[in-house]
Amino acid sequence: MKRFDTIGQYGERTAIYADRAYSYDEMIEAADAIAREVGDRTLVFCLCANTKESIFGYVGFLRGRIVPLLLDAAIHSEQLQNLIDRYRPTHIWANREHNQLAQEMDTTYGYGDYALFECPHVIEHELHDELALLLTTSGSTGSPKLVRLSYDNLFHNAASIVSYLNINEDDRPITTLPMNYSYGLSIINSHLVSGATIVVTEASVMQKEFWQLCRNQHVTTFGGVPFVYEMLQRLKFETMELPSLTKLTQAGGKLNPDLASAFTGICERKGIQFFTMYGQTEATARMSYLPPDQNREKAGSIGIAIPGGELTLRKETGELITAPNVVGELVYQGANVSLGYAEALSDLASGDENEGVLYTGDLAYMDEDGYFFIVGRIKRMIKMHGNRISLDEVEDLLRAHGHECVCTGTDDELYVYTLHDDRAAIKQVIKDMMHTRGVTILQIDAIPRNESGKILYAALPKRELVTT
Protein backbone atom coordinates (compact mmCIF):
# COMPACT_ATOMS: atom_id res chain seq x y z
CA MET A 1 0.00 0.00 0.00
CA LYS A 2 2.95 2.32 0.61
CA ARG A 3 3.04 5.15 -1.98
CA PHE A 4 -0.07 3.78 -3.75
CA ASP A 5 2.10 0.96 -5.10
CA THR A 6 -0.68 -1.65 -4.86
CA ILE A 7 -3.59 0.19 -6.46
CA GLY A 8 -2.73 -1.26 -9.86
CA GLN A 9 -4.55 -4.43 -8.73
CA TYR A 10 -7.85 -2.60 -9.30
CA GLY A 11 -7.12 -2.34 -13.03
CA GLU A 12 -10.25 -1.52 -15.01
CA ARG A 13 -12.35 -0.56 -11.98
CA THR A 14 -13.33 3.11 -11.97
CA ALA A 15 -11.02 5.17 -9.73
CA ILE A 16 -12.34 8.65 -10.48
CA TYR A 17 -15.56 9.91 -11.98
CA ALA A 18 -15.12 13.51 -13.17
CA ASP A 19 -16.16 14.51 -16.70
CA ARG A 20 -16.26 10.74 -17.30
CA ALA A 21 -15.13 7.54 -15.62
CA TYR A 22 -11.35 7.00 -15.31
CA SER A 23 -10.11 3.53 -14.42
CA TYR A 24 -7.29 2.80 -11.99
CA ASP A 25 -5.15 1.84 -14.98
CA GLU A 26 -5.86 5.21 -16.65
CA MET A 27 -5.18 7.11 -13.46
CA ILE A 28 -1.86 5.34 -12.88
CA GLU A 29 -0.76 5.92 -16.47
CA ALA A 30 -1.49 9.67 -16.22
CA ALA A 31 -0.07 9.96 -12.67
CA ASP A 32 3.20 8.21 -13.52
CA ALA A 33 3.66 10.33 -16.67
CA ILE A 34 3.42 13.51 -14.56
CA ALA A 35 5.96 12.13 -12.07
CA ARG A 36 8.38 11.04 -14.81
CA GLU A 37 8.42 14.58 -16.15
CA VAL A 38 9.53 15.87 -12.73
CA GLY A 39 12.17 13.16 -12.54
CA ASP A 40 14.28 12.86 -9.41
CA ARG A 41 13.06 12.94 -5.82
CA THR A 42 12.48 16.62 -5.18
CA LEU A 43 9.97 19.16 -3.83
CA VAL A 44 6.98 20.28 -5.90
CA PHE A 45 3.92 22.41 -5.16
CA CYS A 46 0.48 21.12 -6.12
CA LEU A 47 -2.25 23.79 -6.37
CA CYS A 48 -5.28 21.69 -5.54
CA ALA A 49 -8.88 21.81 -6.64
CA ASN A 50 -11.38 18.95 -6.60
CA THR A 51 -10.42 17.83 -10.10
CA LYS A 52 -9.00 14.71 -11.70
CA GLU A 53 -5.82 16.63 -12.59
CA SER A 54 -5.10 17.49 -8.93
CA ILE A 55 -5.67 13.93 -7.77
CA PHE A 56 -3.66 12.34 -10.60
CA GLY A 57 -0.75 14.69 -9.90
CA TYR A 58 -0.85 13.87 -6.18
CA VAL A 59 -0.96 10.12 -6.83
CA GLY A 60 1.91 10.39 -9.30
CA PHE A 61 4.10 12.37 -6.92
CA LEU A 62 3.67 9.83 -4.12
CA ARG A 63 4.27 6.89 -6.46
CA GLY A 64 7.41 8.59 -7.78
CA ARG A 65 8.77 9.48 -4.30
CA ILE A 66 8.42 13.18 -5.16
CA VAL A 67 7.38 15.32 -2.16
CA PRO A 68 4.37 17.59 -2.85
CA LEU A 69 3.20 20.56 -0.79
CA LEU A 70 -0.57 20.66 -1.27
CA LEU A 71 -2.00 24.18 -1.47
CA ASP A 72 -5.40 25.64 -2.28
CA ALA A 73 -5.59 26.50 -5.99
CA ALA A 74 -7.07 29.85 -4.93
CA ILE A 75 -4.13 30.78 -2.71
CA HIS A 76 -3.32 34.52 -2.86
CA SER A 77 -0.44 35.31 -5.20
CA GLU A 78 1.60 37.02 -2.47
CA GLN A 79 1.22 34.02 -0.14
CA LEU A 80 2.21 31.65 -2.94
CA GLN A 81 5.27 33.73 -3.78
CA ASN A 82 6.35 33.76 -0.12
CA LEU A 83 6.18 29.97 -0.04
CA ILE A 84 8.06 29.65 -3.33
CA ASP A 85 10.81 31.95 -2.01
CA ARG A 86 11.06 30.00 1.23
CA TYR A 87 10.92 26.40 -0.04
CA ARG A 88 12.17 26.71 -3.64
CA PRO A 89 10.14 23.94 -5.40
CA THR A 90 11.46 22.65 -8.70
CA HIS A 91 7.99 22.46 -10.26
CA ILE A 92 4.42 23.59 -9.63
CA TRP A 93 1.46 21.45 -10.78
CA ALA A 94 -1.40 23.89 -11.39
CA ASN A 95 -4.11 25.00 -13.79
CA ARG A 96 -2.37 25.89 -17.05
CA GLU A 97 -4.13 29.28 -17.05
CA HIS A 98 -2.84 30.32 -13.62
CA ASN A 99 -1.97 33.96 -14.36
CA GLN A 100 0.96 34.38 -11.99
CA LEU A 101 2.68 31.15 -13.00
CA ALA A 102 1.95 31.43 -16.74
CA GLN A 103 3.62 34.86 -16.86
CA GLU A 104 6.73 33.87 -14.92
CA MET A 105 7.45 30.22 -15.78
CA ASP A 106 7.66 27.81 -18.69
CA THR A 107 5.61 24.63 -18.80
CA THR A 108 7.18 21.25 -19.49
CA TYR A 109 4.14 18.98 -19.53
CA GLY A 110 0.36 19.18 -19.62
CA TYR A 111 -2.56 16.95 -18.78
CA GLY A 112 -6.16 18.10 -19.04
CA ASP A 113 -6.52 21.58 -17.56
CA TYR A 114 -3.24 21.34 -15.62
CA ALA A 115 0.37 21.94 -16.54
CA LEU A 116 3.74 21.39 -14.91
CA PHE A 117 5.40 24.77 -14.45
CA GLU A 118 9.18 24.69 -14.16
CA CYS A 119 10.56 27.02 -11.50
CA PRO A 120 13.68 29.07 -12.30
CA HIS A 121 16.83 28.90 -10.20
CA VAL A 122 16.35 25.22 -9.35
CA ILE A 123 18.18 23.87 -6.31
CA GLU A 124 18.83 20.33 -5.14
CA HIS A 125 16.64 19.60 -2.13
CA GLU A 126 17.84 17.64 0.84
CA LEU A 127 14.77 15.62 1.83
CA HIS A 128 14.47 13.11 4.65
CA ASP A 129 14.06 9.64 3.18
CA GLU A 130 10.65 9.06 4.80
CA LEU A 131 9.20 12.50 3.99
CA ALA A 132 6.17 11.94 1.74
CA LEU A 133 3.99 15.04 1.89
CA LEU A 134 3.68 18.58 3.26
CA LEU A 135 0.41 20.14 4.39
CA THR A 136 -0.27 23.57 5.81
CA THR A 137 -1.40 23.80 9.42
CA SER A 138 -5.10 24.49 9.96
CA GLY A 139 -4.59 28.25 9.86
CA SER A 140 -3.84 30.34 6.79
CA THR A 141 -2.80 28.42 3.68
CA GLY A 142 -0.11 31.06 3.25
CA SER A 143 1.59 30.19 6.52
CA PRO A 144 5.20 29.03 6.09
CA LYS A 145 4.66 26.54 8.93
CA LEU A 146 4.06 23.11 7.39
CA VAL A 147 3.31 19.64 8.75
CA ARG A 148 5.80 16.98 7.62
CA LEU A 149 4.08 13.65 6.92
CA SER A 150 5.76 10.32 6.17
CA TYR A 151 4.61 7.47 3.93
CA ASP A 152 3.85 5.44 7.07
CA ASN A 153 1.80 8.32 8.50
CA LEU A 154 -0.37 8.51 5.38
CA PHE A 155 -1.00 4.86 4.79
CA HIS A 156 -1.30 3.69 8.40
CA ASN A 157 -3.97 6.34 8.89
CA ALA A 158 -5.68 5.34 5.65
CA ALA A 159 -5.73 1.69 6.79
CA SER A 160 -7.23 2.64 10.16
CA ILE A 161 -9.95 4.71 8.50
CA VAL A 162 -10.71 1.87 6.07
CA SER A 163 -11.07 -0.44 9.07
CA TYR A 164 -13.52 1.52 11.24
CA LEU A 165 -15.57 2.90 8.31
CA ASN A 166 -15.57 -0.51 6.62
CA ILE A 167 -14.62 1.03 3.26
CA ASN A 168 -14.61 -1.32 0.28
CA GLU A 169 -14.66 -1.39 -3.54
CA ASP A 170 -18.38 -0.66 -3.64
CA ASP A 171 -18.08 2.71 -1.88
CA ARG A 172 -18.63 5.83 -3.98
CA PRO A 173 -17.74 9.01 -2.00
CA ILE A 174 -18.20 12.49 -3.46
CA THR A 175 -15.79 15.36 -2.80
CA THR A 176 -17.14 18.02 -0.43
CA LEU A 177 -13.86 19.21 1.12
CA PRO A 178 -10.60 20.63 -0.29
CA MET A 179 -8.00 17.91 -0.95
CA ASN A 180 -5.27 20.13 0.50
CA TYR A 181 -7.14 19.89 3.83
CA SER A 182 -6.17 16.77 5.82
CA TYR A 183 -9.78 15.59 6.24
CA GLY A 184 -10.51 15.92 2.52
CA LEU A 185 -7.23 14.19 1.63
CA SER A 186 -7.91 11.33 4.04
CA ILE A 187 -11.14 10.57 2.16
CA ILE A 188 -9.18 10.32 -1.09
CA ASN A 189 -6.40 8.16 0.42
CA SER A 190 -8.67 5.72 2.25
CA HIS A 191 -10.91 5.14 -0.76
CA LEU A 192 -8.16 4.80 -3.37
CA VAL A 193 -6.34 2.13 -1.35
CA SER A 194 -9.67 0.27 -1.14
CA GLY A 195 -10.39 0.29 -4.88
CA ALA A 196 -13.44 2.53 -4.45
CA THR A 197 -14.72 5.11 -6.94
CA ILE A 198 -14.38 8.80 -6.00
CA VAL A 199 -16.91 11.15 -7.60
CA VAL A 200 -14.97 14.38 -8.10
CA THR A 201 -16.72 17.74 -8.35
CA GLU A 202 -16.07 21.38 -7.57
CA ALA A 203 -19.81 21.95 -7.00
CA SER A 204 -20.83 22.73 -3.42
CA VAL A 205 -23.70 21.23 -1.44
CA MET A 206 -25.57 24.49 -2.10
CA GLN A 207 -25.77 23.75 -5.83
CA LYS A 208 -28.38 21.59 -7.57
CA GLU A 209 -25.64 20.05 -9.73
CA PHE A 210 -24.08 18.49 -6.62
CA TRP A 211 -27.24 16.62 -5.68
CA GLN A 212 -27.97 15.62 -9.25
CA LEU A 213 -24.49 14.11 -9.44
CA CYS A 214 -25.11 12.28 -6.15
CA ARG A 215 -28.20 10.65 -7.61
CA ASN A 216 -26.80 9.95 -11.08
CA GLN A 217 -23.56 8.43 -9.76
CA HIS A 218 -25.17 6.53 -6.85
CA VAL A 219 -22.99 8.23 -4.23
CA THR A 220 -22.75 6.20 -1.03
CA THR A 221 -20.93 8.58 1.31
CA PHE A 222 -19.65 12.09 1.89
CA GLY A 223 -18.00 14.02 4.69
CA GLY A 224 -18.36 17.51 6.08
CA VAL A 225 -17.15 19.98 8.66
CA PRO A 226 -19.78 21.57 10.97
CA PHE A 227 -20.41 24.38 8.47
CA VAL A 228 -21.41 21.82 5.81
CA TYR A 229 -23.95 20.28 8.20
CA GLU A 230 -25.39 23.72 8.94
CA MET A 231 -25.88 24.13 5.18
CA LEU A 232 -27.49 20.68 4.91
CA GLN A 233 -29.97 21.61 7.61
CA ARG A 234 -30.92 24.78 5.72
CA LEU A 235 -31.37 22.69 2.58
CA LYS A 236 -33.78 20.38 4.46
CA PHE A 237 -31.54 17.35 3.93
CA GLU A 238 -34.09 15.14 5.68
CA THR A 239 -36.50 15.59 2.74
CA MET A 240 -33.98 14.60 0.06
CA GLU A 241 -34.30 11.31 -1.80
CA LEU A 242 -30.80 9.79 -1.91
CA PRO A 243 -31.39 6.03 -1.84
CA SER A 244 -27.74 5.05 -2.43
CA LEU A 245 -26.38 7.07 0.53
CA THR A 246 -25.22 4.77 3.35
CA LYS A 247 -22.60 6.76 5.34
CA LEU A 248 -22.05 10.34 6.48
CA THR A 249 -18.89 11.45 8.28
CA GLN A 250 -18.22 14.64 10.25
CA ALA A 251 -14.96 16.12 11.56
CA GLY A 252 -13.16 19.46 11.56
CA GLY A 253 -14.64 20.75 14.81
CA LYS A 254 -17.40 20.01 17.27
CA LEU A 255 -20.90 19.83 15.87
CA ASN A 256 -23.54 21.93 17.62
CA PRO A 257 -25.32 19.50 20.03
CA ASP A 258 -28.75 20.24 18.58
CA LEU A 259 -27.46 19.73 15.04
CA ALA A 260 -25.70 16.49 16.03
CA SER A 261 -28.92 15.21 17.58
CA ALA A 262 -30.93 16.22 14.52
CA PHE A 263 -28.61 14.38 12.12
CA THR A 264 -28.50 11.35 14.38
CA GLY A 265 -32.28 11.17 14.08
CA ILE A 266 -32.32 11.85 10.33
CA CYS A 267 -29.71 9.15 9.69
CA GLU A 268 -31.52 6.63 11.88
CA ARG A 269 -34.73 7.20 9.90
CA LYS A 270 -32.93 6.96 6.56
CA GLY A 271 -30.80 3.95 7.47
CA ILE A 272 -27.54 5.94 7.13
CA GLN A 273 -24.53 5.42 9.41
CA PHE A 274 -23.46 8.77 10.90
CA PHE A 275 -19.84 8.91 12.11
CA THR A 276 -18.52 11.89 14.09
CA MET A 277 -14.73 11.94 14.21
CA TYR A 278 -11.81 13.89 15.64
CA GLY A 279 -8.39 14.61 14.23
CA GLN A 280 -5.62 17.07 13.48
CA THR A 281 -3.31 17.62 10.53
CA GLU A 282 -0.43 16.79 12.88
CA ALA A 283 -1.86 13.24 13.11
CA THR A 284 -2.31 12.99 9.31
CA ALA A 285 -6.08 13.17 9.71
CA ARG A 286 -8.01 10.98 12.17
CA MET A 287 -7.36 10.12 15.80
CA SER A 288 -10.77 9.01 17.08
CA TYR A 289 -14.31 8.21 16.03
CA LEU A 290 -17.69 7.68 17.69
CA PRO A 291 -19.37 4.44 16.61
CA PRO A 292 -22.82 5.29 15.17
CA ASP A 293 -24.62 3.07 17.68
CA GLN A 294 -23.26 5.34 20.44
CA ASN A 295 -24.43 8.64 18.90
CA ARG A 296 -27.23 9.09 21.42
CA GLU A 297 -25.75 7.52 24.55
CA LYS A 298 -22.38 9.28 24.10
CA ALA A 299 -23.63 12.50 22.48
CA GLY A 300 -20.87 15.13 22.39
CA SER A 301 -18.06 12.57 22.66
CA ILE A 302 -15.16 12.31 20.22
CA GLY A 303 -15.42 8.58 20.88
CA ILE A 304 -12.54 6.14 21.07
CA ALA A 305 -9.11 5.94 19.44
CA ILE A 306 -8.91 4.70 15.85
CA PRO A 307 -7.54 1.17 15.28
CA GLY A 308 -3.82 1.18 16.03
CA GLY A 309 -3.97 4.40 18.06
CA GLU A 310 -4.15 5.22 21.75
CA LEU A 311 -5.63 8.20 23.62
CA THR A 312 -4.56 9.18 27.13
CA LEU A 313 -4.89 12.22 29.39
CA ARG A 314 -2.07 14.06 31.16
CA LYS A 315 -1.97 16.59 33.97
CA GLU A 316 0.01 19.82 33.56
CA THR A 317 2.81 18.07 35.45
CA GLY A 318 2.85 15.28 32.83
CA GLU A 319 1.32 12.72 35.18
CA LEU A 320 -1.03 10.18 33.56
CA ILE A 321 -4.73 10.53 34.44
CA THR A 322 -6.49 7.18 34.83
CA ALA A 323 -9.61 8.16 36.77
CA PRO A 324 -12.82 9.01 34.88
CA ASN A 325 -14.16 12.57 34.64
CA VAL A 326 -10.84 14.27 35.37
CA VAL A 327 -9.82 16.95 32.85
CA GLY A 328 -6.34 16.92 31.34
CA GLU A 329 -4.53 17.41 28.06
CA LEU A 330 -5.48 14.84 25.43
CA VAL A 331 -2.43 12.92 24.17
CA TYR A 332 -2.51 10.66 21.12
CA GLN A 333 -0.03 7.93 20.24
CA GLY A 334 0.08 6.13 16.90
CA ALA A 335 1.88 5.52 13.62
CA ASN A 336 -0.03 8.40 12.00
CA VAL A 337 1.60 11.11 14.16
CA SER A 338 3.56 13.42 11.86
CA LEU A 339 7.35 13.74 11.80
CA GLY A 340 7.09 17.35 12.99
CA TYR A 341 6.89 20.84 11.50
CA ALA A 342 8.85 22.66 8.83
CA GLU A 343 9.32 26.42 8.86
CA ALA A 344 12.33 26.60 6.56
CA LEU A 345 13.87 24.68 3.68
CA SER A 346 16.46 23.05 5.94
CA ASP A 347 13.68 21.47 8.05
CA LEU A 348 12.78 19.15 5.16
CA ALA A 349 15.86 17.08 5.97
CA SER A 350 14.81 16.59 9.62
CA GLY A 351 13.74 13.20 10.93
CA ASP A 352 10.97 12.12 13.26
CA GLU A 353 10.77 14.67 16.07
CA ASN A 354 7.42 13.51 17.52
CA GLU A 355 8.28 9.80 17.79
CA GLY A 356 4.64 8.81 17.44
CA VAL A 357 3.30 11.02 20.26
CA LEU A 358 1.12 14.11 19.80
CA TYR A 359 0.15 16.50 22.59
CA THR A 360 -3.06 17.78 21.04
CA GLY A 361 -3.51 21.00 23.00
CA ASP A 362 -7.11 19.94 23.71
CA LEU A 363 -8.50 19.63 27.22
CA ALA A 364 -10.66 16.56 27.70
CA TYR A 365 -11.94 13.97 30.13
CA MET A 366 -12.74 10.27 29.84
CA ASP A 367 -15.98 8.75 31.09
CA GLU A 368 -16.39 5.44 32.92
CA ASP A 369 -16.70 3.56 29.61
CA GLY A 370 -13.50 4.97 28.10
CA TYR A 371 -15.14 7.52 25.79
CA PHE A 372 -13.43 10.91 25.52
CA PHE A 373 -15.07 14.35 25.69
CA ILE A 374 -13.27 17.58 24.75
CA VAL A 375 -14.03 20.60 26.93
CA GLY A 376 -11.73 23.23 25.40
CA ARG A 377 -8.33 24.19 24.06
CA ILE A 378 -5.33 24.94 26.26
CA LYS A 379 -4.61 27.91 24.00
CA ARG A 380 -8.29 28.90 24.10
CA MET A 381 -7.95 29.74 27.81
CA ILE A 382 -7.78 33.24 29.25
CA LYS A 383 -7.67 34.65 32.75
CA MET A 384 -10.38 37.05 33.84
CA HIS A 385 -9.42 38.78 37.07
CA GLY A 386 -7.26 35.81 38.03
CA ASN A 387 -9.77 33.10 37.09
CA ARG A 388 -9.08 30.75 34.17
CA ILE A 389 -11.90 30.81 31.59
CA SER A 390 -12.31 28.50 28.60
CA LEU A 391 -13.50 30.41 25.54
CA ASP A 392 -15.11 27.20 24.29
CA GLU A 393 -17.07 26.86 27.52
CA VAL A 394 -18.31 30.46 27.19
CA GLU A 395 -19.55 29.63 23.69
CA ASP A 396 -21.28 26.50 25.04
CA LEU A 397 -22.86 28.48 27.88
CA LEU A 398 -24.29 31.10 25.55
CA ARG A 399 -25.47 28.43 23.09
CA ALA A 400 -27.32 26.70 25.93
CA HIS A 401 -29.19 29.98 26.46
CA GLY A 402 -30.12 30.28 22.80
CA HIS A 403 -27.28 32.49 21.54
CA GLU A 404 -25.03 31.31 18.69
CA CYS A 405 -21.81 33.19 19.45
CA VAL A 406 -18.07 32.91 18.97
CA CYS A 407 -15.55 34.17 21.48
CA THR A 408 -11.96 35.38 21.52
CA GLY A 409 -9.92 37.16 24.13
CA THR A 410 -6.76 37.83 26.04
CA ASP A 411 -6.27 38.02 29.78
CA ASP A 412 -8.93 40.29 31.32
CA GLU A 413 -10.49 40.89 27.87
CA LEU A 414 -13.29 38.70 26.55
CA TYR A 415 -14.86 39.40 23.15
CA VAL A 416 -18.24 37.86 22.26
CA TYR A 417 -19.42 38.02 18.63
CA THR A 418 -23.03 37.56 17.54
CA LEU A 419 -24.80 37.74 14.19
CA HIS A 420 -28.07 38.85 15.78
CA ASP A 421 -29.46 41.83 17.65
CA ASP A 422 -29.27 40.03 21.00
CA ARG A 423 -26.45 41.85 22.71
CA ALA A 424 -28.55 42.90 25.68
CA ALA A 425 -29.68 39.33 26.29
CA ILE A 426 -26.10 38.04 25.98
CA LYS A 427 -24.97 40.71 28.42
CA GLN A 428 -27.59 39.50 30.91
CA VAL A 429 -26.52 35.84 30.60
CA ILE A 430 -22.87 36.77 31.20
CA LYS A 431 -23.82 38.95 34.17
CA ASP A 432 -26.03 36.26 35.73
CA MET A 433 -23.95 33.17 34.97
CA MET A 434 -20.34 34.30 34.86
CA HIS A 435 -20.23 37.25 37.25
CA THR A 436 -17.41 38.82 35.32
CA ARG A 437 -16.50 42.26 33.97
CA GLY A 438 -14.54 43.49 30.96
CA VAL A 439 -16.62 41.71 28.31
CA THR A 440 -17.09 43.32 24.90
CA ILE A 441 -20.10 42.19 22.86
CA LEU A 442 -20.03 42.84 19.13
CA GLN A 443 -22.62 42.31 16.44
CA ILE A 444 -21.02 41.37 13.10
CA ASP A 445 -22.38 40.58 9.64
CA ALA A 446 -20.58 37.26 9.11
CA ILE A 447 -18.25 34.87 10.91
CA PRO A 448 -14.94 34.58 8.99
CA ARG A 449 -14.08 31.02 8.01
CA ASN A 450 -11.34 29.30 6.02
CA GLU A 451 -11.94 27.13 2.96
CA SER A 452 -12.71 24.10 5.13
CA GLY A 453 -15.30 25.96 7.22
CA LYS A 454 -13.22 26.47 10.38
CA ILE A 455 -13.67 29.77 12.20
CA LEU A 456 -10.82 32.24 11.69
CA TYR A 457 -10.76 33.68 15.20
CA ALA A 458 -7.81 35.94 14.39
CA ALA A 459 -9.82 37.63 11.62
CA LEU A 460 -12.63 38.78 13.95
CA PRO A 461 -12.82 42.57 14.43
CA LYS A 462 -11.93 44.22 17.72
CA ARG A 463 -13.99 47.41 17.46
CA GLU A 464 -15.96 48.05 20.63
CA LEU A 465 -19.74 48.35 20.33
CA VAL A 466 -21.09 47.38 23.72
CA THR A 467 -19.10 46.68 26.86
CA THR A 468 -20.63 45.10 29.94
Side-chain angles (χ1 to χ4, degrees), residues 186-341:
S186 73
I187 293 172
I188 291 170
N189 290 338
S190 57
H191 285 87
L192 287 183
V193 299
S194 302
T197 297
I198 302 173
V199 180
V200 177
T201 178
E202 293 190 272
S204 80
V205 297
M206 299 302 290
Q207 295 175 277
K208 288 181 180 178
E209 304 94 288
F210 178 89
W211 300 107
Q212 193 61 50
L213 194 57
C214 281
R215 285 184 281 269
N216 290 347
Q217 292 301 314
H218 309 292
V219 164
T220 62
T221 180
F222 64 82
V225 294
F227 183 66
V228 169
Y229 282 89
E230 291 169 16
M231 295 302 101
L232 292 179
Q233 187 179 49
R234 291 185 195 177
L235 291 169
K236 299 191 177 349
F237 174 78
E238 70 274 11
T239 67
M240 293 183 184
E241 290 296 326
L242 300 163
S244 59
L245 198 63
T246 59
K247 270 179 283 196
L248 291 180
T249 66
Q250 183 271 317
K254 187 177 180 181
L255 205 57
N256 174 300
D258 292 338
L259 201 55
S261 177
F263 271 90
T264 294
I266 291 167
C267 290
E268 286 173 348
R269 291 191 293 276
K270 288 179 172 283
I272 297 170
Q273 288 185 300
F274 180 43
F275 289 84
T276 56
M277 310 181 299
Y278 163 78
Q280 292 181 5
T281 305
E282 287 83 351
T284 307
R286 305 276 68 79
M287 288 184 277
S288 76
Y289 72 103
L290 183 64
D293 62 1
Q294 297 294 318
N295 281 339
R296 291 196 181 279
E297 185 178 347
K298 302 297 183 183
S301 172
I302 63 165
I304 55 178
I306 63 171
E310 182 184 14
L311 288 169
T312 55
L313 298 167
R314 299 274 173 178
K315 296 180 180 178
E316 283 188 33
T317 57
E319 185 182 349
L320 182 68
I321 296 171
T322 56
N325 305 311
V326 178
V327 173
E329 182 176 5
L330 189 65
V331 180
Y332 175 82
Q333 186 166 356
N336 52 310
V337 174
S338 65
L339 303 174
Y341 293 113

Side-chain angles (χ1 to χ4, degrees), residues 11-202:
E12 289 302 312
R13 288 190 60 82
T14 299
I16 300 293
Y17 182 87
D19 51 319
R20 64 172 177 85
Y22 294 82
S23 70
Y24 276 84
D25 283 344
E26 281 185 282
M27 177 177 70
I28 290 168
E29 183 180 358
D32 289 352
I34 297 163
R36 277 196 303 272
E37 196 63 35
V38 173
D40 297 334
R41 178 169 168 80
T42 188
L43 175 69
V44 302
F45 286 5
C46 182
L47 302 195
C48 301
N50 283 332
T51 63
K52 65 181 186 295
E53 293 91 342
S54 287
I55 294 175
F56 291 178
Y58 164 69
V59 170
F61 299 142
L62 259 62
R63 284 173 59 86
R65 297 195 77 249
I66 294 158
V67 178
L69 164 58
L70 304 189
L71 297 167
D72 186 347
I75 185 173
H76 189 276
S77 59
E78 185 178 328
Q79 293 176 325
L80 176 59
Q81 190 60 53
N82 288 340
L83 287 166
I84 292 171
D85 293 343
R86 185 175 292 246
Y87 289 103
R88 307 284 297 279
T90 61
H91 297 81
I92 300 177
W93 180 241
N95 191 293
R96 62 174 72 241
E97 295 185 0
H98 191 287
N99 287 336
Q100 178 186 1
L101 301 179
Q103 289 175 12
E104 298 174 1
M105 301 179 191
D106 293 328
T107 60
T108 62
Y109 184 78
Y111 176 84
D113 292 335
Y114 266 48
L116 203 56
F117 292 89
E118 190 170 37
C119 299
H121 315 301
V122 168
I123 65 167
E124 187 172 333
H125 292 89
E126 187 180 348
L127 304 172
H128 188 272
D129 195 51
E130 284 302 307
L131 180 63
L133 174 70
L134 297 166
L135 293 177
T136 58
T137 55
S138 58
S140 165
T141 54
S143 169
K145 188 176 184 179
L146 308 175
V147 177
R148 297 182 290 115
L149 297 169
S150 73
Y151 297 104
D152 279 348
N153 293 158
L154 287 174
F155 292 104
H156 272 287
N157 203 222
S160 292
I161 294 167
V162 168
S163 175
Y164 75 77
L165 289 181
N166 193 26
I167 296 171
N168 59 56
E169 293 182 2
D170 296 327
D171 278 303
R172 295 177 68 88
I174 188 168
T175 55
T176 51
L177 299 161
M179 67 173 283
N180 56 289
Y181 170 43
S182 61
Y183 180 14
L185 188 65
S186 73
I187 293 172
I188 291 170
N189 290 338
S190 57
H191 285 87
L192 287 183
V193 299
S194 302
T197 297
I198 302 173
V199 180
V200 177
T201 178
E202 293 190 272

